[in-house]
Amino acid sequence: MSATPQKNRASRRVLAAAAGLATVGALVAAMPASAQGNGQGNGQHKQANTVDVQLLSFNDLHGNLEPPASSAGTIPAGGVEYLASSLRTARKGHPYSITAAGGDMVGASPLLSGLFHDEPTIEALNKIDLDVTTVGNHEFDEGATELARLQNGGCHPVEGCYEKGKKFKGADFPYLAANVTDEKTGKPILKPYTVWKKNGIKIGFIGVTLEGTPNIVTANGVKGLKFHNEVETINKYAAELDRQGVKSIVALIHEGGAPASTSYNYDCDTSGAGDGISGPIVDIAKGISPKVDALVTGHTHQAYVCTIPDPAGNPRLVTSASSFGKVYTDTTLTYDRGTKDIVRTSVKSASASNPKSVNHIVSRDQRRARDMTDLIARWNALAAPIANKPQGYITADIVGRGSTAPEKPLGNLIADAQLEGLAPADKGGAVVAFMNPGGIRGDLVYASADGKSDGVVTYGESFTVQPFTNMMNVVDLTGAQLITALQQQVSGSNEASPKILQISKGLTYTLDMTKTGAARVVTDTIKLNGAAIDPAKTYRVAMNEFLAGGGDGFAALGQGTNKLVGASDLDLFNAYLAAHSTAAAPLAPPATDRITVIQ
């Protein structure tokens, strides 16, 4: 089912990687080819001795083959039909072009891809001619064995082949995982790096995911794996590449930052190098060896183009391209044939009118890529019997992923569905339910794509909201543990970037964001059905298996006992929609009055 590579693929590049290491897949992004060769940076050279290499990059596609809806589509952009066209157009006139990705190509995907364990997305990326990608945390949603299958091919071990007579061929690009090792062997589970070569030009790519991946993936997904420090790992392999004579190096890092502006083309060097960006990527960038010439990042779903000084004080590009294929980055790497290194300059190069790196919207007013249209139609035909089945009815958009508020209407709806499904004594006896905000992957959108079924929530749409099919757990927690869990939303690892749990009806409290750390949760306001939480009392609490394992920094939730495993989160969600809505009496967005926020 993998697409035939473009005819010029073999001549365009040769990918070489460390010998003896298992391959897992790589996405290569086309690299922009219009640099200045102005003599700035870390190497002397002559004008005629430089070559412009185009680096096209994107990140966090998450299997969004069709244009994302609602919150993910605030910018009317994205969809692989348009992403493919954008990249193919951008490559024209650039004989040296690479396409690379910053991880999370798959996982938490809409039903069109997720139903088929993301085989459609890998096929699309093959057709797009991706050269290399790093793994992201979501590449581990189904474990290392499934990740290896996506790289190497073969039909699903349980569900088999999806199309008669067709065997899944796997990714024809390498997945890189330099900082993910097997606990038993100590060796990387995938290639740590790869080298792009053409006409004597060599550019190395090192790929890492965030060290904290085990904190945001289910335990089964990372079982038997060890995740290492991003900076130490990149520096180790940068030195190895340097010893091999590869002086031009790009790091693909599935970790990112928060720019001061949400504009897709925000230049975070407006005040000074890197002044307009915060978050983990800043310290990571400052610690990575000067041997690395550019950083392609992801994970935070933000768009930015920055320079952050390396340890030697030289400017170095750090880019990210939003998410869901809505944006791509076009970067020019000026390669010096004499030094075999990249001539580094600022984002703006010699003049503001000739930037070295630019983010572009993947607009939907361009011609669609026909091969992608055909791919989507083929997989949609296979998915249709399941995807189009109505699950419920709504009166208006119920916003989840698209809400920036601590309490989200869709979060309340999901938590209520979990509580209702697990409240019966024989189902767990839950009295309260918690939902992690990161697990809400979309919105329930009133308008349908065909304009004929407005207000109908299909299985495909509910799957897009809850794509992980996490099994629900009901556990015993003390009132003290519940209070601690609420405090962990805004303290510890979550203090800088709070993760506000979505809560079921009956639980209320005040969140005072004028304070710091755990004090932000006003403990004497925490009540369940009007009664104060008793620290010594035991409560039955429903949550998905990710939270029950202490994920997202909620160690207190991982201390539950007397566990009962219930239905999946998606099954409970669909059951709630069916029980509480009809075509004649659709469901209205729930009120958001459970958390009182003081700003």
Coordinates of all heavy atoms in Angstrom, one line a residue, residues 427-516:
K427 N -20.1 -1.4 37.8 CA -19.1 -0.9 36.9 C -18.0 -0.2 37.5 O -17.1 0.3 36.8 CB -19.9 0.1 36.0 CG -21.0 -0.5 35.2 CD -20.6 -1.5 34.2 CE -21.8 -2.0 33.4 NZ -21.4 -3.1 32.5
G428 N -18.0 -0.1 38.8 CA -16.9 0.6 39.5 C -17.3 1.5 40.7 O -16.5 1.8 41.6
G429 N -18.5 1.9 40.7 CA -19.0 2.8 41.7 C -18.3 4.1 41.8 O -18.2 4.7 42.9
A430 N -18.0 4.7 40.7 CA -17.3 6.0 40.7 C -18.2 7.1 41.2 O -19.4 7.2 40.9 CB -16.8 6.3 39.3
V431 N -17.6 8.1 41.9 CA -18.3 9.3 42.4 C -17.8 10.5 41.7 O -18.4 11.6 41.8 CB -18.2 9.4 43.9 CG1 -18.9 8.2 44.6 CG2 -16.8 9.5 44.4
V432 N -16.6 10.4 41.0 CA -16.1 11.6 40.3 C -15.2 11.0 39.2 O -14.7 9.9 39.3 CB -15.2 12.5 41.3 CG1 -14.0 11.7 41.8 CG2 -14.9 13.8 40.6
A433 N -15.0 11.8 38.1 CA -14.2 11.4 37.0 C -13.3 12.6 36.6 O -13.6 13.7 36.7 CB -15.0 11.0 35.8
F434 N -12.0 12.2 36.2 CA -11.1 13.2 35.7 C -10.7 12.8 34.3 O -10.5 11.7 33.9 CB -9.8 13.1 36.6 CG -10.0 13.7 38.0 CD1 -9.5 13.0 39.1 CD2 -10.6 14.9 38.2 CE1 -9.6 13.5 40.4 CE2 -10.8 15.4 39.5 CZ -10.3 14.6 40.6
M435 N -10.5 13.9 33.5 CA -10.0 13.7 32.1 C -8.8 14.6 31.8 O -8.9 15.8 32.2 CB -11.2 14.0 31.1 CG -10.7 14.0 29.6 SD -10.2 12.3 29.1 CE -9.4 12.7 27.6
N436 N -7.7 14.0 31.3 CA -6.6 14.9 31.0 C -6.8 15.7 29.8 O -7.3 15.2 28.7 CB -5.3 14.0 30.8 CG -5.5 13.0 29.7 OD1 -6.4 12.2 29.8 ND2 -4.6 12.9 28.7
P437 N -6.5 17.0 29.8 CA -6.8 17.9 28.7 C -6.1 17.5 27.4 O -6.7 17.7 26.3 CB -6.4 19.3 29.1 CG -5.4 19.0 30.2 CD -5.8 17.7 30.9
G438 N -4.9 17.0 27.5 CA -4.2 16.6 26.3 C -4.8 15.4 25.5 O -4.5 15.2 24.4
G439 N -5.6 14.7 26.2 CA -6.3 13.5 25.6 C -7.5 13.9 24.7 O -8.1 13.1 24.0
I440 N -7.9 15.2 24.8 CA -9.0 15.7 23.9 C -8.4 16.2 22.6 O -7.7 17.2 22.6 CB -9.8 16.8 24.7 CG1 -10.2 16.3 26.0 CG2 -11.0 17.3 23.8 CD1 -10.8 17.4 26.9
R441 N -8.6 15.5 21.6 CA -7.8 15.7 20.3 C -8.6 16.6 19.3 O -8.0 16.8 18.2 CB -7.4 14.4 19.7 CG -6.6 13.5 20.6 CD -5.4 14.2 21.2 NE -4.4 14.6 20.3 CZ -3.2 15.1 20.5 NH1 -2.9 15.2 21.8 NH2 -2.4 15.4 19.6
G442 N -9.8 17.0 19.6 CA -10.5 17.8 18.6 C -11.7 18.5 19.3 O -11.8 18.5 20.5
D443 N -12.7 18.9 18.5 CA -13.9 19.5 18.9 C -15.0 18.6 18.3 O -14.9 17.9 17.3 CB -14.1 20.9 18.5 CG -13.0 21.8 19.0 OD1 -12.4 21.5 20.0 OD2 -12.7 22.8 18.3
L444 N -16.2 18.7 18.9 CA -17.4 18.2 18.2 C -18.0 19.4 17.4 O -18.3 20.4 18.0 CB -18.5 17.7 19.2 CG -18.1 16.4 19.9 CD1 -19.3 16.0 20.8 CD2 -17.8 15.3 18.9
V445 N -18.0 19.2 16.1 CA -18.3 20.3 15.2 C -19.7 20.1 14.7 O -20.1 19.1 14.2 CB -17.3 20.4 14.0 CG1 -17.6 21.6 13.2 CG2 -15.9 20.5 14.6
Y446 N -20.5 21.2 14.8 CA -21.9 21.1 14.4 C -22.0 21.0 12.8 O -22.8 20.1 12.3 CB -22.7 22.4 14.8 CG -24.1 22.4 14.3 CD1 -25.1 21.7 15.1 CD2 -24.5 23.1 13.2 CE1 -26.4 21.7 14.7 CE2 -25.8 23.1 12.8 CZ -26.8 22.4 13.5 OH -28.1 22.4 13.1
A447 N -21.3 21.7 12.1 CA -21.4 21.7 10.6 C -20.7 20.5 10.1 O -19.6 20.1 10.5 CB -20.7 22.9 10.0
S448 N -21.3 19.8 9.2 CA -20.7 18.6 8.5 C -20.0 19.0 7.2 O -20.4 20.0 6.6 CB -21.8 17.5 8.2 OG -22.7 18.1 7.3
A449 N -19.1 18.2 6.8 CA -18.4 18.5 5.6 C -19.3 18.5 4.4 O -19.1 19.3 3.4 CB -17.2 17.5 5.4
D450 N -20.3 17.7 4.4 CA -21.2 17.6 3.2 C -22.3 18.6 3.3 O -23.1 18.7 2.3 CB -21.7 16.2 3.0 CG -22.5 15.7 4.2 OD1 -22.9 16.5 5.1 OD2 -22.8 14.5 4.3
G451 N -22.5 19.3 4.4 CA -23.6 20.2 4.6 C -25.0 19.6 4.7 O -26.0 20.3 4.7
K452 N -25.0 18.3 4.7 CA -26.3 17.6 4.7 C -26.6 17.0 6.1 O -27.7 16.6 6.3 CB -26.3 16.5 3.7 CG -26.1 17.0 2.3 CD -26.0 15.8 1.3 CE -25.8 16.3 -0.1 NZ -25.7 15.2 -1.1
S453 N -25.6 16.9 7.0 CA -25.9 16.2 8.3 C -25.4 17.1 9.4 O -24.8 16.6 10.3 CB -25.2 14.9 8.3 OG -23.8 15.0 8.0
D454 N -25.7 18.4 9.4 CA -25.3 19.3 10.4 C -25.9 18.8 11.7 O -27.1 18.5 11.8 CB -25.8 20.7 10.1 CG -25.0 21.4 9.0 OD1 -24.0 20.8 8.6 OD2 -25.4 22.4 8.5
G455 N -25.1 18.9 12.8 CA -25.6 18.5 14.1 C -25.4 17.0 14.4 O -25.6 16.6 15.6
V456 N -25.1 16.2 13.4 CA -24.9 14.8 13.6 C -23.5 14.5 14.0 O -22.5 14.9 13.4 CB -25.3 14.0 12.4 CG1 -25.0 12.5 12.6 CG2 -26.7 14.2 11.9
V457 N -23.3 13.8 15.1 CA -22.0 13.3 15.5 C -21.8 11.9 15.1 O -22.4 11.0 15.5 CB -21.8 13.4 17.1 CG1 -20.4 12.9 17.5 CG2 -22.0 14.8 17.6
T458 N -20.9 11.7 14.1 CA -20.6 10.4 13.6 C -19.5 9.7 14.4 O -18.8 10.3 15.2 CB -20.1 10.5 12.1 OG1 -18.8 11.1 12.1 CG2 -21.1 11.2 11.3
Y459 N -19.4 8.4 14.2 CA -18.3 7.7 14.9 C -17.0 8.2 14.5 O -16.1 8.3 15.4 CB -18.4 6.2 14.5 CG -17.4 5.3 15.3 CD1 -17.8 4.7 16.5 CD2 -16.1 5.1 14.8 CE1 -16.9 4.0 17.2 CE2 -15.2 4.3 15.5 CZ -15.6 3.7 16.7 OH -14.7 3.0 17.4
G460 N -16.8 8.6 13.3 CA -15.5 9.2 12.9 C -15.2 10.5 13.6 O -14.0 10.7 14.0
E461 N -16.2 11.3 13.9 CA -16.0 12.5 14.6 C -15.7 12.3 16.1 O -14.9 12.9 16.7 CB -17.2 13.4 14.4 CG -17.4 13.9 13.0 CD -18.7 14.6 12.7 OE1 -19.7 14.2 13.4 OE2 -18.7 15.5 11.9
S462 N -16.4 11.3 16.7 CA -16.2 11.1 18.1 C -14.8 10.4 18.3 O -14.1 10.6 19.3 CB -17.3 10.2 18.7 OG -17.4 8.9 18.1
F463 N -14.4 9.6 17.3 CA -13.1 9.0 17.3 C -12.0 10.0 17.3 O -11.0 9.9 17.9 CB -13.0 8.0 16.2 CG -11.7 7.2 16.2 CD1 -11.6 5.9 16.7 CD2 -10.5 7.7 15.6 CE1 -10.4 5.2 16.7 CE2 -9.3 7.0 15.6 CZ -9.3 5.7 16.1
T464 N -12.2 11.1 16.5 CA -11.2 12.1 16.4 C -11.0 12.8 17.7 O -9.9 13.2 18.0 CB -11.7 13.1 15.3 OG1 -11.7 12.5 14.0 CG2 -10.7 14.3 15.2
V465 N -12.1 12.9 18.5 CA -12.0 13.5 19.8 C -11.3 12.6 20.8 O -10.5 13.1 21.6 CB -13.4 13.9 20.3 CG1 -13.4 14.3 21.8 CG2 -14.0 15.0 19.5
Q466 N -11.6 11.3 20.7 CA -11.0 10.3 21.7 C -10.4 9.2 20.9 O -10.9 8.0 20.9 CB -12.2 9.8 22.6 CG -12.8 10.8 23.5 CD -12.2 10.8 24.9 OE1 -12.8 10.1 25.8 NE2 -11.1 11.4 25.1
P467 N -9.2 9.4 20.3 CA -8.6 8.4 19.4 C -7.8 7.3 20.0 O -7.4 6.4 19.4 CB -7.8 9.3 18.4 CG -7.3 10.4 19.3 CD -8.5 10.7 20.2
F468 N -7.5 7.5 21.3 CA -6.5 6.6 22.0 C -7.2 5.2 22.4 O -6.5 4.2 22.6 CB -5.9 7.2 23.2 CG -5.1 8.4 22.9 CD1 -5.6 9.7 23.3 CD2 -3.9 8.3 22.2 CE1 -4.8 10.8 23.0 CE2 -3.2 9.5 21.9 CZ -3.6 10.7 22.3
T469 N -8.5 5.2 22.5 CA -9.2 4.1 23.0 C -8.6 3.6 24.3 O -8.2 2.4 24.4 CB -9.2 2.9 21.9 OG1 -9.6 3.5 20.6 CG2 -10.3 1.9 22.2
N470 N -8.3 4.5 25.2 CA -7.8 4.1 26.5 C -8.9 3.4 27.3 O -10.0 3.8 27.3 CB -7.4 5.4 27.3 CG -6.0 5.9 27.0 OD1 -5.1 5.1 26.9 ND2 -5.9 7.2 26.8
M471 N -8.4 2.4 28.0 CA -9.3 1.7 28.9 C -9.5 2.5 30.2 O -8.6 3.1 30.7 CB -8.8 0.3 29.3 CG -8.6 -0.6 28.1 SD -10.0 -0.7 26.9 CE -11.2 -1.6 28.0
M472 N -10.7 2.5 30.7 CA -11.0 3.3 31.8 C -10.7 2.5 33.1 O -10.9 1.3 33.1 CB -12.5 3.7 31.8 CG -12.9 4.7 30.8 SD -12.0 6.3 30.9 CE -12.5 6.8 32.5
N473 N -10.3 3.2 34.1 CA -10.0 2.6 35.4 C -10.8 3.3 36.5 O -11.1 4.5 36.4 CB -8.5 2.8 35.8 CG -7.6 1.9 35.0 OD1 -6.4 1.9 35.2 ND2 -8.1 1.2 34.0
V474 N -11.3 2.6 37.5 CA -11.9 3.1 38.7 C -11.1 2.7 39.9 O -10.8 1.5 40.0 CB -13.4 2.7 38.9 CG1 -14.0 3.4 40.1 CG2 -14.2 3.0 37.6
V475 N -10.6 3.6 40.7 CA -9.7 3.3 41.8 C -10.1 4.0 43.1 O -10.9 5.0 43.0 CB -8.2 3.7 41.5 CG1 -7.7 3.0 40.2 CG2 -8.1 5.2 41.3
D476 N -9.6 3.5 44.2 CA -9.8 4.1 45.5 C -8.7 5.2 45.6 O -7.5 4.9 45.5 CB -9.6 3.1 46.6 CG -10.9 2.3 46.8 OD1 -11.9 2.6 46.2 OD2 -10.8 1.3 47.5
L477 N -9.1 6.4 46.0 CA -8.1 7.5 46.3 C -8.7 8.1 47.6 O -9.9 8.3 47.8 CB -8.0 8.5 45.2 CG -7.2 8.1 44.0 CD1 -7.3 9.2 42.9 CD2 -5.7 7.8 44.3
T478 N -7.8 8.6 48.5 CA -8.2 9.3 49.6 C -8.5 10.7 49.2 O -8.0 11.2 48.2 CB -7.1 9.3 50.7 OG1 -6.0 10.0 50.2 CG2 -6.7 7.9 51.1
G479 N -9.2 11.4 50.1 CA -9.5 12.8 49.9 C -8.2 13.6 49.8 O -8.1 14.6 49.0
A480 N -7.2 13.3 50.6 CA -5.9 13.9 50.6 C -5.2 13.8 49.3 O -4.6 14.7 48.7 CB -5.1 13.4 51.7
Q481 N -5.3 12.6 48.7 CA -4.7 12.3 47.4 C -5.5 13.1 46.3 O -4.8 13.6 45.3 CB -4.8 10.8 47.1 CG -3.8 10.0 47.9 CD -4.0 8.5 47.8 OE1 -5.1 8.0 47.7 NE2 -2.9 7.8 47.9
L482 N -6.8 13.2 46.4 CA -7.5 14.0 45.4 C -7.1 15.5 45.5 O -6.9 16.1 44.4 CB -9.0 13.9 45.7 CG -9.8 12.7 45.3 CD1 -11.3 12.8 45.6 CD2 -9.6 12.5 43.8
I483 N -6.9 16.0 46.7 CA -6.5 17.4 46.8 C -5.1 17.6 46.2 O -4.8 18.5 45.5 CB -6.5 17.8 48.3 CG1 -8.0 17.8 48.8 CG2 -5.9 19.2 48.5 CD1 -8.1 18.0 50.3
T484 N -4.2 16.6 46.5 CA -2.9 16.7 46.0 C -2.9 16.6 44.4 O -2.1 17.4 43.8 CB -2.0 15.5 46.5 OG1 -1.9 15.6 47.9 CG2 -0.6 15.6 45.9
A485 N -3.7 15.8 43.9 CA -3.8 15.7 42.4 C -4.2 17.0 41.8 O -3.7 17.4 40.8 CB -4.8 14.6 42.0
L486 N -5.2 17.7 42.4 CA -5.6 19.0 41.9 C -4.5 20.0 42.0 O -4.3 20.8 41.1 CB -6.9 19.5 42.7 CG -8.2 18.7 42.4 CD1 -9.3 19.2 43.3 CD2 -8.6 18.7 40.9
Q487 N -3.7 19.9 43.1 CA -2.6 20.8 43.2 C -1.5 20.5 42.2 O -0.8 21.4 41.7 CB -2.0 20.7 44.6 CG -3.0 21.2 45.7 CD -2.5 20.9 47.1 OE1 -1.8 19.9 47.3 NE2 -2.8 21.8 48.1
Q488 N -1.4 19.3 41.8 CA -0.4 18.9 40.8 C -0.7 19.4 39.4 O 0.2 19.5 38.5 CB -0.2 17.4 40.8 CG 0.5 16.8 42.0 CD 0.5 15.3 42.1 OE1 -0.2 14.6 41.4 NE2 1.4 14.8 42.9
Q489 N -1.9 19.9 39.2 CA -2.2 20.6 37.9 C -1.4 21.8 37.7 O -1.1 22.2 36.6 CB -3.7 21.0 37.9 CG -4.7 19.9 38.1 CD -6.1 20.5 38.2 OE1 -6.9 20.3 37.3 NE2 -6.4 21.2 39.3
V490 N -1.0 22.5 38.8 CA -0.4 23.8 38.7 C 0.9 23.9 39.5 O 1.4 25.0 39.8 CB -1.4 24.9 39.2 CG1 -2.5 25.1 38.2 CG2 -1.9 24.5 40.6
S491 N 1.5 22.8 39.8 CA 2.7 22.8 40.6 C 3.7 21.7 40.0 O 3.3 20.9 39.1 CB 2.5 22.5 42.1 OG 1.9 21.3 42.3
G492 N 4.9 21.6 40.6 CA 5.8 20.6 40.1 C 6.1 20.7 38.6 O 6.3 21.9 38.1
S493 N 6.1 19.7 37.9 CA 6.3 19.7 36.5 C 5.3 20.4 35.7 O 5.5 20.8 34.5 CB 6.5 18.2 35.9 OG 5.2 17.5 36.1
N494 N 4.1 20.7 36.3 CA 3.1 21.4 35.6 C 3.0 22.9 36.0 O 2.0 23.6 35.5 CB 1.7 20.7 35.8 CG 1.6 19.4 35.2 OD1 2.3 19.1 34.1 ND2 0.9 18.5 35.8
E495 N 3.9 23.4 36.8 CA 3.7 24.7 37.3 C 3.9 25.8 36.2 O 3.1 26.7 36.0 CB 4.8 25.0 38.4 CG 4.6 26.5 38.9 CD 5.3 26.7 40.2 OE1 6.0 25.8 40.8 OE2 5.2 27.8 40.8
A496 N 4.9 25.6 35.3 CA 5.2 26.5 34.2 C 4.1 26.5 33.2 O 3.7 27.5 32.6 CB 6.5 26.3 33.6
S497 N 3.6 25.3 32.9 CA 2.5 25.1 31.9 C 1.4 24.2 32.5 O 1.5 23.0 32.3 CB 3.1 24.5 30.6 OG 2.1 24.3 29.6
P498 N 0.5 24.8 33.2 CA -0.5 24.0 33.9 C -1.3 23.1 33.0 O -1.6 23.4 31.9 CB -1.4 25.1 34.5 CG -0.6 26.3 34.6 CD 0.4 26.3 33.5
K499 N -1.6 21.9 33.6 CA -2.5 21.0 32.9 C -3.7 20.8 33.8 O -3.7 20.1 34.8 CB -1.8 19.6 32.8 CG -0.6 19.6 31.8 CD -0.1 18.2 31.6 CE 1.0 18.2 30.5 NZ 2.2 18.9 30.9
I500 N -4.8 21.5 33.4 CA -6.0 21.5 34.2 C -6.9 20.3 33.8 O -7.4 20.2 32.7 CB -6.8 22.9 34.0 CG1 -5.8 24.0 34.2 CG2 -8.0 22.9 34.9 CD1 -5.2 24.0 35.6
L501 N -7.1 19.5 34.8 CA -8.0 18.3 34.6 C -9.4 18.7 34.3 O -9.9 19.7 34.9 CB -7.9 17.4 35.8 CG -6.6 16.7 36.1 CD1 -6.6 16.2 37.5 CD2 -6.3 15.6 35.1
Q502 N -10.0 18.0 33.4 CA -11.5 18.2 33.2 C -12.2 17.4 34.1 O -11.9 16.2 34.3 CB -11.8 17.9 31.7 CG -10.9 18.7 30.7 CD -11.1 20.2 30.8 OE1 -12.1 20.8 30.4 NE2 -10.1 20.9 31.4
I503 N -13.2 17.9 34.8 CA -13.9 17.3 35.9 C -15.3 17.0 35.7 O -16.0 17.8 35.0 CB -13.6 18.1 37.2 CG1 -14.1 19.5 37.1 CG2 -12.2 18.0 37.6 CD1 -14.0 20.3 38.3
S504 N -15.8 16.0 36.3 CA -17.3 15.6 36.1 C -18.1 16.5 37.0 O -17.7 17.2 38.0 CB -17.5 14.1 36.5 OG -17.0 13.9 37.8
K505 N -19.4 16.5 36.7 CA -20.4 17.4 37.4 C -20.4 17.0 38.9 O -20.2 15.8 39.3 CB -21.8 17.3 36.8 CG -22.3 15.9 36.8 CD -23.7 15.8 36.1 CE -24.2 14.4 36.0 NZ -25.5 14.3 35.3
G506 N -20.6 18.0 39.7 CA -20.6 17.7 41.2 C -19.3 18.1 41.9 O -19.3 18.5 43.1
L507 N -18.2 18.2 41.1 CA -16.9 18.6 41.7 C -16.7 20.1 41.4 O -16.8 20.5 40.2 CB -15.8 17.8 41.2 CG -14.4 18.1 41.8 CD1 -14.3 17.9 43.3 CD2 -13.3 17.3 41.1
T508 N -16.5 20.9 42.4 CA -16.2 22.3 42.2 C -15.1 22.8 43.1 O -14.8 22.2 44.1 CB -17.5 23.1 42.6 OG1 -17.8 22.9 43.9 CG2 -18.7 22.8 41.6
Y509 N -14.4 23.8 42.6 CA -13.3 24.4 43.4 C -12.9 25.7 42.7 O -13.3 26.0 41.6 CB -12.1 23.5 43.5 CG -11.3 23.2 42.3 CD1 -10.2 24.0 42.0 CD2 -11.7 22.3 41.3 CE1 -9.4 23.8 40.8 CE2 -11.0 22.0 40.2 CZ -9.8 22.8 39.9 OH -9.1 22.6 38.8
T510 N -12.0 26.5 43.4 CA -11.5 27.8 42.9 C -10.0 27.6 42.6 O -9.2 27.1 43.4 CB -11.7 28.9 43.9 OG1 -13.1 29.1 44.1 CG2 -11.1 30.2 43.4
L511 N -9.6 28.2 41.4 CA -8.3 28.2 41.0 C -7.8 29.6 41.0 O -8.3 30.4 40.2 CB -8.2 27.6 39.6 CG -6.8 27.2 39.0 CD1 -6.1 26.2 39.8 CD2 -7.0 26.7 37.6
D512 N -6.9 30.0 41.8 CA -6.4 31.3 42.0 C -5.0 31.5 41.3 O -4.0 31.2 41.9 CB -6.3 31.7 43.4 CG -5.9 33.2 43.6 OD1 -5.6 33.9 42.6 OD2 -6.0 33.7 44.8
M513 N -5.0 31.9 40.0 CA -3.8 32.0 39.2 C -2.9 33.2 39.6 O -1.9 33.4 39.0 CB -4.1 32.0 37.7 CG -4.8 30.7 37.3 SD -3.9 29.2 37.7 CE -2.5 29.4 36.6
T514 N -3.4 34.0 40.6 CA -2.5 35.1 41.0 C -1.5 34.6 42.0 O -0.5 35.3 42.4 CB -3.3 36.2 41.7 OG1 -3.9 35.7 42.9 CG2 -4.4 36.7 40.8
K515 N -1.6 33.4 42.5 CA -0.7 32.8 43.4 C 0.3 31.9 42.6 O 0.2 31.8 41.4 CB -1.5 32.0 44.5 CG -2.4 32.9 45.3 CD -3.1 32.1 46.4 CE -4.0 33.0 47.2 NZ -4.7 32.3 48.3
T516 N 1.1 31.2 43.3 CA 2.1 30.3 42.7 C 2.0 28.9 43.2 O 1.6 28.6 44.3 CB 3.5 30.8 42.9 OG1 3.8 30.8 44.3 CG2 3.8 32.2 42.3

